[in-house]
Amino acid sequence: MITLQLPKVPIPDAVATLIGRQIPDRVLAAEVEAMNLAYNITLCRGDRYREAREQCLADLARVNKTLAQFDPRLIVDGAA
């Protein structure tokens, strides 16, 4: 079976804005928070940061519920 690799085409700003207007504000805020939490989880290494990492994971799970209600493909992995 032959698969075609289509070239990546950048999305114009106007199209990205139009797409962004279709997503509720609570979902956009949850997406930003999820990305920040995923980054913070990577900073919490070692035993002395265990409690902070667990708190970030709990917050990420809460935010992922909001993202999953809108679209399950938006879920952010905590191990990122």
Side-chain angles (χ1 to χ4, degrees), residues 11-25 28 70:
I11 298 175
D13 290 340
V15 175
T17 302
L18 182 63
I19 292 170
R21 288 183 184 158
Q22 304 301 316
I23 300 174
D25 289 337
L28 291 175
F70 185 74

Side-chain angles (χ1 to χ4, degrees), residues 15-49:
V15 175
T17 302
L18 182 63
I19 292 170
R21 288 183 184 158
Q22 304 301 316
I23 300 174
D25 289 337
R26 64 181 174 79
V27 175
L28 291 175
E31 187 176 11
V32 170
E33 187 176 355
M35 295 304 293
N36 288 336
L37 287 168
Y39 176 71
N40 288 342
I41 289 169
T42 63
L43 298 178
C44 298
R45 297 181 188 159
D47 288 338
R48 59 191 267 202
Y49 299 111

